Amino acid sequence: MRLLIIEDEARIAEILQSALSRAGFTVDAVDLCDDGRAALAANPYDAVILDLGLPDGDGLALLKEMRAAGNTVAVLVLTARDAVEHRVAGLDAGADDYLIKPFAVAEVIARIKALLRRPEGALGATLRSGNIAFDTIGRDLRVGESVLVLPRRESAILEHLMRRAGRVVPKTVLEEKLYGIDDELGSNAIPVHVHHLRRKLLDNGATVEIHTVRGVGYLLVDGAT
Ligand code: CA
């Protein structure tokens, strides 16, 4: 598995490169958008770790350019906390996952492995579970024959649960996903959104259910299997 790191903070790039190499990946690292663009054109990568603030441009613009060109490589975005609220909407349009700096290296490795395990390709995939299908670009949810348009927070939660169907998603991870959509994320926000999602899934005859793992998070399970 070959990874590309596009990150201009040398220390972060070095730490990631060495940890991911030890984890068995082949890792290239560049510190400019332009070099990233060239590397992406030259090599087939399995995943990209992308910093957003780069000296010669915005990583988000590079990401949009990649997606527009049909590049579906898995992308994990690294971003500074103070920039999150401005960028989550953009991330929805192209990133597969993101981590807020500072982060633990072990978390980066875990997220990359999770991205690479995904059965569907990267962005552009329609996520499916049981009789539901979520279009990650159009953002609409099909349950059987019905098409539902979910509020952004609910669709963000559902997408994340579907990407990790059958595995527990910590509530803290969902909160991180919603940070920026909800500027003031109350402690009850996630349970309330999950409650609404459950109701909609149930009312429309979905075969999947969202289970609560007390004190940890949530889990999407296909009840029909
Ligand atoms: Ca940077």
Side-chain angles (χ1 to χ4, degrees):
M1 292 282 189
R2 185 163 183 179
L3 309 182
L4 175 64
I5 299 170
I6 308 176
E7 163 66 81
D8 63 309
E9 286 174 62
R11 202 177 126 66
I12 293 180
E14 276 170 32
I15 290 170
L16 286 177
Q17 188 165 21
S18 106
L20 287 161
S21 300
R22 279 198 305 276
F25 296 101
T26 302
V27 189
D28 298 332
V30 297
D31 58 3
L32 295 173
C33 284
D34 272 349
D35 294 346
R37 197 175 283 116
L40 285 163
N43 305 296
Y45 289 102
D46 297 291
V48 176
I49 297 175
L50 177 65
D51 179 36
L52 292 187
L54 293 161
D56 64 336
D58 185 345
L60 191 56
L62 176 60
L63 178 57
K64 284 183 180 160
E65 183 186 313
M66 288 162 59
R67 296 316 192 201
N71 188 331
T72 58
V73 66
V75 174
L76 172 66
V77 159
L78 302 178
T79 187
R81 166 147 329 248
D82 60 0
V84 172
E85 55 257 315
H86 306 298
R87 288 177 162 152
V88 168
L91 298 181
D92 281 345
D96 298 283
D97 201 355
Y98 72 91
L99 271 176
I100 293 169
K101 295 177 178 179
F103 48 78
V105 172
E107 178 70 6
V108 176
I109 295 174
R111 298 279 187 101
I112 287 290
K113 285 183 174 171
L115 285 180
L116 294 172
R117 271 198 304 267
R118 273 191 352 226
E120 306 258 356
L123 189 97
T126 296
L127 305 171
R128 295 175 201 283
S129 189
N131 67 343
I132 74 170
F134 181 74
D135 176 348
T136 59
I137 293 177
R139 313 297 298 167
D140 62 321
L141 171 68
R142 285 175 185 274
V143 181
E145 299 298 307
S146 314
V147 178
L148 280 71
V149 177
L150 299 174
R152 282 175 64 200
R153 299 166 180 90
E154 290 173 32
S155 68
I157 291 172
L158 182 68
E159 177 177 0
H160 211 65
L161 292 174
M162 289 183 78
R163 285 193 185 282
R164 289 156 178 75
R167 282 176 284 157
V168 178
V169 178
K171 182 162 168 268
T172 50
V173 169
L174 293 176
E175 284 167 349
E176 196 178 283
K177 285 275 158 192
L178 290 202
Y179 187 88
I181 298 179
D182 277 313
D183 288 336
E184 305 262 326
L185 197 64
S187 63
N188 206 32
I190 301 288
V192 169
H193 295 317
V194 168
H195 171 79
H196 291 310
L197 261 178
R198 274 191 183 126
R199 170 57 54 86
K200 287 173 189 175
L201 290 172
L202 186 67
D203 287 351
N204 287 278
T207 59
V208 299
E209 294 169 0
I210 301 172
H211 292 187
T212 302
V213 182
R214 200 171 294 279
V216 181
Y218 300 93
L219 168 76
L220 188 79
V221 175
D222 182 7
T225 60

